[in-house]
Amino acid sequence: MSHAGLWCNACDASLPYLNAPRCAICALPTLQGEVCGHCLSDPPAFTRTTAVFSYSFPLDKLVQAMKFGEQLALAHAFAQKIAKHITPDNLPDCVIAMPLHPARLKERGFNQSHLLASKLAHELNITLLPHACQRVRDTPAQSSLKWKERDKNVRDAFRCNVDLTGKRIALVDDVMTTGASLDALAKAVKKSGATEIHTWIVARTLPHTR
């Protein structure tokens, strides 16, 4: 079994790890690891993305089991995977999870991104800011929308209530698809004074899996 006791070594080897060269900002594949054209022409508010897997089978089923099947132990296992990809000599000052709107949190009963962030903060000995940011609009799920609608859906959806002047921040979420939600959250964090914003995610949706 693995160190987390959730899947064996053979199953781990079958997971879609992101090993190919990719854009450091958004984690989409590029030929030699250069910054992609989209990030050059229209850069997001975050400056770097750490992603462990591509969002494809069978990893997608594990993420869905965590989010919708209440298999919460998976959050700890995923956080440990992310932690192994974080350079220890360049850690941020604080970690912030992608917030859920209170209505969505009440419906689901937990925020999987907060579980990931809490475990990462513990693993890396970084300050967790659990109440720094709020989702102030109860927007439709991004997965239910067409790609071109997603930026508009999360525009001004987040608010940050703490002073982050001069702080380096890591934003934590489970999956990045278009990056719209994390970009919107990063903009709110940047307005509060953060100087460097990274995103830490379990999985990145790649063009051929969309």
Side-chain angles (χ1 to χ4, degrees):
M1 299 297 289
S2 73
H3 63 282
L6 296 178
W7 57 77
C8 67
N9 291 333
C11 290
D12 189 75
S14 73
L15 294 177
Y17 282 91
L18 278 178
N19 295 319
R22 54 194 182 274
C23 172
I25 297 175
C26 73
L28 286 181
T30 55
L31 288 176
Q32 298 179 336
E34 69 275 16
V35 175
C36 71
H38 185 270
C39 287
L40 284 173
S41 62
D42 187 19
F46 52 84
T47 56
R48 189 173 189 86
T49 293
T50 296
V52 183
F53 304 100
S54 71
Y55 189 62
S56 55
F57 184 83
L59 187 280
D60 56 349
K61 301 303 180 185
L62 292 176
V63 172
Q64 291 162 22
M66 174 183 67
K67 292 176 69 170
F68 308 117
E70 298 188 15
Q71 300 297 313
L72 305 186
L74 286 164
H76 285 190
F78 288 146
Q80 288 174 332
K81 293 289 188 183
I82 295 173
K84 290 181 178 179
H85 286 71
I86 305 300
T87 304
D89 58 356
N90 189 32
L91 294 175
D93 301 299
C94 308
V95 177
I96 296 174
M98 172 66 66
L100 285 177
H101 188 272
R104 190 71 58 85
L105 181 60
K106 183 178 180 180
E107 176 185 327
R108 186 174 297 173
F110 63 92
N111 179 354
Q112 75 281 352
S113 297
H114 174 74
L115 296 177
L116 290 165
S118 178
K119 181 64 175 177
L120 279 163
H122 176 75
E123 288 274 323
L124 300 171
N125 194 28
I126 307 172
T127 299
L128 174 67
L129 299 178
H131 307 297
C133 297
Q134 294 81 41
R135 188 184 289 255
V136 295
R137 290 198 295 112
D138 188 10
T139 57
Q142 291 286 80
S143 59
S144 68
L145 300 174
K146 295 180 180 179
W147 285 66
K148 293 182 179 180
E149 297 173 345
R150 297 188 179 194
D151 284 339
K152 183 178 179 181
N153 185 50
V154 293
R155 193 173 299 153
D156 299 321
F158 302 100
R159 182 176 62 211
C160 187
N161 294 327
V162 298
D163 183 6
L164 299 174
T165 301
K167 299 292 186 182
R168 295 174 300 156
I169 304 296
L171 305 179
V172 178
D173 203 2
D174 52 359
V175 179
M176 182 190 291
T177 302
T178 65
S181 295
L182 282 161
D183 185 32
L185 180 59
K187 286 175 180 175
V189 168
K190 200 169 187 178
K191 284 182 181 178
S192 286
T195 56
E196 186 176 346
I197 305 167
H198 291 187
T199 63
W200 295 350
I201 57 175
V202 176
R204 181 64 160 102
T205 302
L206 301 184
H208 66 277
T209 61
R210 292 172 180 173

